[in-house]
Amino acid sequence: KLQCFRAFSAWVWNEYGFMKAAKYFHPDETTRIQSAVAEAEKKTSAEIVPAIASASGRYDRAEDVAGVWLAAIFVVITWLLLRWQGPETAQWGTTWSRFELPLLLAAMVSGFVLGAMLATYIDPLRRIFAPRREMKTEVREAAARVFYDARVHHTKAETGLLIYISVFERTAAIIADAKVLEKLGQETIDALVEKLVTGIKEGDAATSLCETIKDAGDRLSVVMPGAARDKDELPNALIVID
């Protein structure tokens, strides 16, 4: 029973839990990630940069959708309470009083405001109402911003590769310089992303990230092998964006 409870708790957390990027990895895991980058870069001239963000988008529309759903629920409940005549007659009323419309409007407004507020402050609830396609787009765009802001694109030989994880969306993106993209191919990068996302959803993001970094290093070593004169232009540290 205890094992079943732990498995269920892990599933609930993995599906609906949320943690800030700064606390997502244990310090030991962060050290493993940095070591994985260092080892991978020994084999290739490419610069591999891992990054993790708490969230990639605001998803205001999801808050509105949550508000609409709760408003509808409040209206239905209020209408049922107003229509019920009581256990003595055990029937529904058919006449309207002058107070019913204002009460229904109040229920609708209060439900919308409460739903939007809950979705604003409860991240798992906002994720439920955020469209998957929108989240993927936001992650991709946020990764592109980090790629430029962290100067991953600014290596001398244009060999930057960003591996980006977004905690809220539970997904990832890989952005590569044109030269890296040409050598590896989009299919290879997509395969690396899929491997990383699978590990995140299975609840072992650190191991999955380390394996993805190693896999990327092995593939890059074939098409962009390292040389003795190569200089480590970018830090091997994990970029954390809260």
Side-chain angles (χ1 to χ4, degrees):
K1 291 182 178 179
L2 182 58
Q3 290 180 344
C4 291
F5 175 76
R6 287 175 176 173
F8 177 74
S9 300
W11 177 81
V12 170
W13 173 256
N14 191 43
E15 288 294 321
Y16 302 109
F18 179 68
M19 184 181 293
K20 291 293 186 181
K23 297 182 179 180
Y24 192 73
F25 290 128
H26 188 273
D28 292 341
E29 293 175 328
T30 301
T31 301
R32 283 173 51 203
I33 293 167
Q34 293 174 355
S35 298
V37 174
E39 287 298 317
E41 290 185 349
K42 289 179 181 179
K43 310 172 187 177
T44 176
S45 59
E47 291 285 337
I48 301 173
V49 179
I52 183 168
S54 297
S56 296
R58 272 287 299 126
Y59 308 107
D60 296 330
R61 188 182 304 173
E63 298 169 5
D64 294 338
V65 173
V68 169
W69 274 100
L70 194 58
I73 293 172
F74 274 30
V75 168
V76 170
I77 292 174
T78 303
W79 185 84
L80 291 175
L81 292 174
L82 292 172
R83 294 292 88 199
W84 181 245
Q85 294 288 307
E88 295 81 7
T89 57
Q91 63 180 2
W92 299 99
T94 56
T95 60
W96 284 75
S97 72
R98 60 180 179 176
F99 300 106
E100 292 188 11
L101 182 57
L103 286 173
L104 288 172
L105 291 174
M108 180 177 65
V109 173
S110 59
F112 179 83
V113 172
L114 180 60
M117 288 182 60
L118 289 174
T120 299
Y121 295 104
I122 302 177
D123 294 302
L125 180 62
R126 188 165 70 255
R127 186 196 294 132
I128 292 173
F129 294 101
R132 299 297 176 188
R133 181 177 297 180
E134 181 184 356
M135 287 197 289
K136 287 183 179 180
T137 301
E138 291 286 354
V139 170
R140 183 75 182 178
E141 291 177 353
R145 289 193 297 270
V146 174
F147 184 75
Y148 287 99
D149 292 345
R151 301 180 68 81
V152 183
H153 75 299
H154 204 63
T155 58
K156 186 176 181 180
E158 298 180 347
T159 56
L161 179 74
L162 174 72
I163 303 177
Y164 174 89
I165 293 176
S166 193
V167 179
F168 175 84
E169 295 84 356
R170 296 190 300 120
T171 191
I174 295 179
I175 307 294
D177 265 319
K179 186 178 294 186
V180 177
L181 181 59
E182 179 186 354
K183 296 289 186 179
L184 282 184
Q186 188 61 51
E187 290 185 2
T188 298
I189 290 178
D190 291 342
L192 291 172
V193 172
E194 184 176 354
K195 177 180 180 179
L196 179 55
V197 171
T198 299
I200 294 171
K201 292 183 176 180
E202 289 177 352
D204 195 358
T207 298
S208 182
L209 179 54
C210 289
E211 291 178 351
T212 302
I213 292 169
K214 181 180 182 303
D215 194 0
D218 291 340
R219 293 172 185 268
L220 286 165
S221 67
V222 177
V223 295
M224 302 179 69
R229 64 178 182 276
D230 286 340
K231 181 181 178 182
D232 195 0
E233 299 180 57
L234 298 173
N236 297 331
L238 174 70
I239 297 175
V240 178
I241 306 163
D242 266 336

